[in-house]
């Protein structure tokens, strides 16, 4: 293993895996630190669910993951977080970065959330989302971590005692030697973490090159572009062309959508218009027992064998607000997530082997219920979303399914074009189109 990564959520980890795979590396994603050995790969990404948990827990989990990766040979570790720097004044980006630096003996690291391919850029330390300051973007109203300050030097400095500095775009554009000089100057001044400006992919490549000897790098999945290139250029690993299709296990296909985001709504509408059998989960019906995991799974199983059923919970904003007011925001979400996860488990037991799951939290719940522990990364369906294949599962439930082999597309709610649920299948071999 050349490169190890610790990602703070599951779809973020998958997104990072896709970037590393596109960079020519053979990459595997593992859910948490495995009990046994890491799989054979050029890069391993450990997916945690540590973005919004108490900082002390995030620190403990992240340090344990990084130690395991280094013990398995990783010469460099990337701490991966969201390209919109999702965090609060309590953390978790600052505390986790500080703890990892201390554990690794790192004297300077970067913070590089930029991901120009999806419109996240950093200019003079200010993060932009699709051309809008972070603090003017929809992230200002995020339910868990409202981002009201776009100045990342300030944002990060509120989260850590380690002095935070900035390498501005003017220096980045002078190239790798100038960036290394700037790093040395920051070190001499006592700075420990530097925000690096980035406007384009080429900036990520040159920043990556300048960080080749840092034990720890932190950022969004964009920086993987530079880090993967370092591994290839070191000559330790042969460039491997990113897969264009993926062999998929035989079995039926299903779409489970638990995201209420705009992109997922459009994907549901397109799937229905294309004639996919579709059924909506209703929180009220779940609460009264009118709908249960058993009844929903039975509906999916009863659909024609050559059809791809869609089970979705995605409510429009008014319905969602009403449901949340009645049942509680957290409670309603958990009810939906747990039901979809329980349905997925029943379907895996009934011969379903190909799953598209929409929603970050939803994906986490489904993957945990299926007992998936490792994912191999397949072809890109859309920016940030690859097909993946489960490499191993923990035994599920008392009966134990004994490790079903699954093809999984885990889609962050807002990713993918409107035809995602229809067209993604064509990348699987044999095609089920
Ligand atoms: P995204 O990637 O779009 O953020 P997530 O799965 O991470 O999607 O989050 C969506 C959240 O909304 C989940 O917790 C899910 O259970 C919840 N949710 C989905 N549909 C409903 C609904 N109809 N009513 C209440 N909560 C819902």
């Amino acid at each position: 293993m050349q490169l190890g990564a610790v990602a703070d959520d599951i779809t973020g980890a998958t997104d990072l895996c896709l970037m590393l795979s596109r960079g020519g590396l053979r990459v595997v994603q593992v859910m948490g630190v495995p009990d046994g050995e890491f799989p054979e790969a050029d890069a391993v990404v450990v997916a945690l669910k540590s973005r919004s948990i108490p900082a002390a827990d995030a620190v403990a989990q992240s340090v344990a993951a990084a130690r395991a990766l280094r013990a398995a040979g990783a010469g460099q570790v990337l701490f991966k977080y969201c390209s919109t720097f999702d965090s609060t004044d309590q953390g978790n980006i600052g505390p986790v970065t500080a703890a990892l630096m201390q554990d690794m003996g790192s004297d300077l690291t970067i913070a590089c959330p930029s991901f120009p391919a999806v419109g996240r850029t950093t200019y003079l330390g200010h993060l932009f989302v699709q051309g809008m300051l972070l603090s003017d973007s929809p992230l200002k109203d995020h339910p868990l971590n409202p981002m009201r300050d776009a100045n990342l030097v300030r944002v990060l400095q509120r989260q850590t005692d380690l002095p935070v500095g900035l390498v501005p775009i003017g220096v980045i554009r002078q190239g790798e030697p100038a960036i290394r000089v700037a790093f040395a100057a920051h070190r001499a001044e006592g700075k420990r973490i530097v925000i690096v400006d980035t406007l384009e992919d080429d900036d990520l490549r040159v920043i990556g090159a300048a960080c080749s000897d840092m034990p720890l790098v932190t950022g969004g999945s964009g920086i993987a572009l530079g880090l993967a290139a370092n591994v290839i250029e070191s000559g330790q690993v042969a460039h491997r062309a990113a897969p264009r299709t993926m062999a998929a296990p035989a079995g039926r296909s299903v779409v489970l959508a638990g995201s209420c985001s705009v992109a997922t709504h459009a994907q549901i509408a397109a799937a229905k218009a294309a004639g996919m059998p579709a059924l909506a989960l209703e929180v009220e019906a779940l609460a009264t027992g009118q709908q249960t995991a058993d009844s929903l799974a039975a509906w999916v199983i009863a659909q024609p064998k050559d059809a791809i059923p869609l089970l979705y919970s995605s409510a429009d904003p008014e319905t969602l607000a009403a449901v949340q007011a009645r049942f509680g925001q957290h409670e309603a979400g958990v009810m939906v997530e747990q039901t979809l996860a329980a349905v997925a488990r029943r379907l895996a037991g009934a011969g379903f082997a190909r799953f598209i799951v929409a929603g970050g939290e939803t994906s986490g719940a489904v993957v945990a219920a299926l007992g998936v522990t490792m994912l191999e990364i397949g072809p890109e369906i859309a920016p940030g979303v690859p097909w993946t294949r489960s490499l191993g599962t923990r035994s599920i439930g008392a009966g134990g399914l004994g490790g079903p082999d699954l093809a999984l597309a885990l889609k962050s709610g807002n990713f993918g074009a409107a035809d995602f649920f229809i067209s993604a299948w064509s990348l699987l071999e044999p095609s089920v189109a």
Side-chain angles (χ1 to χ4, degrees), residues 83-86 118-122 126-140 147 150:
S83 58
T84 48
F85 216 72
D86 293 19
V118 290
R120 274 70 151 163
T121 55
T122 312
H126 289 69
L127 185 59
F128 289 78
V129 178
Q130 309 284 11
M132 256 178 288
L133 273 171
L134 177 66
S135 47
D136 292 332
S137 78
L139 273 297
K140 71 181 189 304
M147 303 304 289

Side-chain angles (χ1 to χ4, degrees), residues 108-156:
L108 186 81
T109 190
I110 60 163
C112 180
S114 310
F115 193 4
V118 290
R120 274 70 151 163
T121 55
T122 312
Y123 179 69
L124 301 182
H126 289 69
L127 185 59
F128 289 78
V129 178
Q130 309 284 11
M132 256 178 288
L133 273 171
L134 177 66
S135 47
D136 292 332
S137 78
L139 273 297
K140 71 181 189 304
D141 300 320
H142 191 284
L144 301 178
N145 44 259
M147 303 304 289
R148 303 261 161 86
D149 185 358
N151 182 329
L152 296 186
V153 176
R154 276 197 311 239
V155 171
L156 187 54

Side-chain angles (χ1 to χ4, degrees), residues 56-303:
D57 296 340
V59 163
Q61 292 179 22
S62 306
V63 168
R67 279 187 189 163
L69 289 164
R70 292 171 71 221
Q76 186 170 54
V77 171
L78 168 64
F79 166 40
K80 192 271 176 195
Y81 40 78
C82 190
S83 58
T84 48
F85 216 72
D86 293 19
S87 54
T88 67
D89 288 353
Q90 284 67 50
N92 291 337
I93 296 176
V96 169
T97 301
L100 291 174
M101 289 181 78
Q102 186 179 15
D103 202 58
M104 290 182 195
S106 157
D107 62 350
L108 186 81
T109 190
I110 60 163
C112 180
S114 310
F115 193 4
V118 290
R120 274 70 151 163
T121 55
T122 312
Y123 179 69
L124 301 182
H126 289 69
L127 185 59
F128 289 78
V129 178
Q130 309 284 11
M132 256 178 288
L133 273 171
L134 177 66
S135 47
D136 292 332
S137 78
L139 273 297
K140 71 181 189 304
D141 300 320
H142 191 284
L144 301 178
N145 44 259
M147 303 304 289
R148 303 261 161 86
D149 185 358
N151 182 329
L152 296 186
V153 176
R154 276 197 311 239
V155 171
L156 187 54
Q157 195 64 85
R158 286 196 292 266
Q159 299 180 27
T160 178
D161 293 336
L162 299 182
V164 179
L166 168 71
V167 180
I169 191 70
V171 174
I172 304 290
R173 290 286 163 90
Q174 287 171 39
E176 183 188 336
I179 299 172
R180 286 183 182 270
V181 168
F183 286 163
H186 277 299
R187 265 192 197 96
E189 262 181 47
K191 297 283 196 288
R192 302 290 307 279
I193 311 174
V194 285
I195 307 290
V196 282
D197 275 357
T198 312
L199 301 181
E200 293 170 1
D201 282 354
D202 279 346
D203 300 323
L204 290 169
R205 290 190 189 93
V206 73
I207 292 166
C211 295
S212 61
D213 46 8
M214 284 184 180
L216 175 73
V217 172
T218 87
S221 59
I223 191 60
L225 210 65
L227 302 186
N230 289 345
V231 172
I232 299 295
E233 275 163 28
S234 75
Q236 313 251 31
V237 163
H239 182 277
R240 177 177 171 271
R244 302 173 74 88
T245 59
M246 187 180 84
R252 294 176 65 185
S253 307
V254 65
V255 182
L256 304 173
S259 159
C260 298
S261 67
V262 176
T264 301
H265 277 299
Q267 287 153 357
I268 292 167
K272 285 185 183 172
M276 281 168 66
L279 180 67
L281 256 82
E282 307 286 352
V283 174
E284 301 234 348
L286 295 177
T288 59
Q290 226 177 322
Q291 283 184 335
T292 62
D294 280 332
S295 74
L296 294 164
W299 175 84
V300 174
I301 293 164
Q303 298 312 302

